[in-house]
């Protein structure tokens, strides 16, 4: 890299770092809340509203490609050299080209098919014009159209031998191969990786594991230290609690008082199931508390708007109806399902 290219690279890297603001928020939590760490599930859980309902349509400038990916990056058994097609998508619309040292923005897919991610990921497309960046989106192995052996995800995960290649370490090694391939093909040098939630964890680990492949990583809402014996077990729920308390003090108090009321009126197995379900609903509302729906406000609006004289569980129910809709039966989804 010549001196001019290095200076340009430093300038756009400093610029993009200048627009990144990280928010860390903690607070106290009721002892009645869950006492275990929430865990990532294989599939991203459903949440209020489909992304396509409040996102811009996927750009017509996107071009789809497939990389002949190695199944096993870390062993040397004959089956390790098996390959599968891994999908990635590129948008050249704003790219300034390798000669201008224009960067490549690489989105690392997470626990969903790439189509779902691209419908809601706005950071790359919002900033690509400013930095004359090439946008690249890579699908996580075992999702969407990037499943080995031509199987469905269910079939792949049911087979213990095939399931063994489904790991975050293998995934970031996949990403390294694809990024290196793209950079060589386009004679490009500069790249940054991006990810959110689990994808943010991947982005962080990618930068640590493959610092020669990327100049940096932006990890949004990435629980990189959220493991047992590292982070307090109520760490995530403390943030959820503060979200609801900020939205409505009376709503927060109703939810807090409801846990003991559920224990009082329900049989133990049912009580546990209902409490897990409600915890999941509240956590999901806080996690996806985005415009235009603002799920936390929606739940609290239902709870606070219950008919005068309603008991605690009736108010909780009106909050559930506000969030999920009025149904004859509610599926008590759990991340462990």
């Amino acid at each position: 890299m010549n001196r001019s290219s290095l200076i340009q690279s430093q300038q756009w890297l400093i610029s993009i770092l200048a627009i990144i603001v990280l928010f860390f928020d903690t607070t106290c939590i009721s002892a009645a809340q869950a006492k275990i760490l929430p865990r990532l599930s294989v599939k991203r859980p459903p949440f209020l509203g489909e992304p396509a309902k409040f996102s811009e349509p996927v750009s017509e400038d996107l071009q789809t490609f497939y990389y002949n990916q190695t199944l096993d990056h870390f062993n040397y058994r004959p089956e390790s050299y098996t390959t599968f097609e891994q999908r990635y998508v590129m948008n050249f619309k704003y790219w300034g080209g390798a000669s201008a040292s224009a960067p490549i923005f690489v989105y690392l897919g997470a626990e969903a098919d790439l189509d779902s991610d691209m419908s809601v990921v706005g950071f790359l497309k919002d900033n690509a014009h400013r930095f004359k960046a090439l946008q690249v989106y890579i699908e996580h192995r075992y999702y969407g159209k990037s499943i080995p052996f031509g199987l469905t995800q269910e079939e792949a995960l049911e087979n213990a031998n095939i399931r063994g290649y489904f790991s975050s370490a293998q995934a970031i090694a996949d990403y390294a191969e694809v990024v290196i391939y793209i950079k060589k093909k386009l004679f490009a040098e500069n790249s940054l990786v991006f990810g959110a939630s689990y994808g943010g964890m991947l982005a962080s680990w990618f930068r640590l594991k493959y610092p020669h492949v990327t100049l940096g990583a932006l990890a949004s809402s990435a629980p990189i230290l959220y493991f047992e014996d590292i982070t307090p077990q109520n760490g995530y729920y403390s943030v959820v609690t503060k979200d609801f308390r900020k939205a409505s003090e009376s709503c927060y108090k109703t939810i807090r008082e409801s846990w003991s009321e559920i224990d009082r009126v329900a049989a133990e197995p049912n009580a546990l199931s209902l409490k897990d379900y409600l915890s999941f609903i509240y956590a999901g509302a806080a996690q996806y508390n985005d415009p235009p729906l603002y799920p936390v406000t929606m739940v609290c609006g239902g709870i606070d708007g219950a008919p005068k004289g309603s008991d605690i569980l009736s108010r909780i129910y009106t909050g559930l109806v506000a969030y999920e809709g009025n149904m004859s039966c509610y599926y008590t989804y759990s991340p462990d399902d």
Side-chain angles (χ1 to χ4, degrees):
M1 182 184 296
N2 58 42
R3 179 177 176 81
S4 177
S5 297
L6 180 61
I7 293 174
Q8 286 181 311
S9 300
Q10 291 174 336
Q11 287 176 337
W12 64 253
L13 184 57
I14 292 171
S15 297
I16 196 168
L17 291 174
I19 67 173
I20 298 170
V21 181
L22 303 179
F23 295 92
F24 295 92
D25 216 349
T26 56
T27 188
C28 298
I29 189 171
S30 166
Q33 289 283 23
K35 297 181 180 179
I36 59 174
L37 288 172
R39 299 181 183 276
L40 287 168
S41 59
V42 172
K43 294 182 180 180
R44 184 175 296 160
F47 60 92
L48 183 65
E50 292 298 325
K53 292 182 180 178
F54 46 90
S55 303
E56 294 181 6
V58 174
S59 173
E60 295 179 355
D61 299 304
L62 298 175
Q63 300 178 41
T64 300
F65 301 89
Y66 290 88
Y67 178 76
N68 204 32
Q69 188 58 262
T70 304
L71 178 65
D72 184 0
H73 298 279
F74 308 112
N75 295 289
Y76 302 97
R77 296 188 295 269
E79 61 270 23
S80 299
Y81 298 96
T82 302
T83 60
F84 67 96
E85 288 191 332
Q86 183 169 23
R87 180 169 56 153
Y88 66 98
V89 174
M90 303 175 72
N91 187 337
F92 291 88
K93 182 176 181 179
Y94 300 115
W95 194 41
S99 60
S101 296
I104 302 175
F105 287 176
V106 184
Y107 175 80
L108 306 185
E111 72 280 24
D113 64 84
L114 198 57
D115 300 305
S116 299
D117 284 340
M118 287 191 298
S119 67
V120 296
V121 175
F123 189 89
L124 273 69
K125 63 183 179 183
D126 291 345
N127 290 280
H129 182 268
R130 176 179 177 182
F131 296 99
K132 296 180 172 56
L134 169 63
Q135 302 167 63
V136 176
Y137 304 82
I138 311 176
E139 189 164 62
H140 194 298
R141 61 166 55 199
Y142 286 70
Y143 291 96
K145 298 181 180 179
S146 303
I147 304 174
F149 303 107
L151 302 175
T152 65
Q153 186 184 64
E154 289 72 19
E155 292 169 340
L157 296 182
E158 285 174 359
N159 186 314
N161 293 325
I162 299 175
R163 187 173 63 241
Y165 302 108
F166 180 44
S167 70
S168 57
Q170 296 282 6
I172 61 174
D174 289 343
Y175 297 146
E177 278 205 19
V178 175
V179 174
I180 291 172
Y181 168 77
I182 292 173
K183 290 170 74 173
K184 285 184 177 179
K185 185 176 180 180
L186 300 177
F187 303 100
E189 296 180 339
N190 303 314
S191 64
L192 285 172
V193 297
F194 300 81
S197 191
Y198 166 57
M201 299 167 78
L202 296 177
S204 299
W205 296 332
F206 186 94
R207 171 59 179 162
L208 292 171
K209 181 72 173 178
Y210 304 102
H212 60 293
V213 179
T214 182
L215 292 175
L218 171 58
S220 175
S221 300
I224 55 175
L225 298 179
Y226 204 49
F227 293 94
E228 294 178 4
D229 301 324
I230 297 179
T231 298
Q233 290 190 344
N234 64 359
Y236 178 69
Y237 287 111
S238 68
V239 178
V240 175
T241 300
K242 186 167 185 178
D243 284 348
F244 276 84
R245 193 167 194 174
K246 184 177 180 180
S248 167
E249 182 72 19
S250 60
C251 172
Y252 152 76
K253 289 181 178 178
T254 298
I255 293 174
R256 181 171 182 171
E257 294 169 4
S258 71
W259 305 120
S260 59
E261 186 67 7
I262 292 172
D263 288 336
R264 187 184 70 81
V265 301
E268 184 63 25
N270 292 332
L272 181 60
S273 176
L274 179 57
K275 289 168 73 174
D276 285 348
Y277 172 63
L278 290 173
S279 294
F280 174 75
I281 291 294
Y282 300 146
Q287 182 174 355
Y288 299 103
N289 194 33
D290 300 324
L293 299 174
Y294 293 107
V296 171
T297 301
M298 186 178 292
V299 173
C300 283
I303 290 174
D304 292 340
K308 187 175 181 179
S310 298
D311 59 29
I312 290 177
L313 294 186
S314 294
R315 280 179 275 161
I316 294 296
Y317 176 70
T318 58
L320 180 62
V321 169
Y323 183 87
E324 294 270 65
N326 194 353
M327 298 182 286
S328 58
C329 182
Y330 292 89
Y331 170 52
T332 55
Y333 176 91
S334 168
D336 296 326
D337 287 350

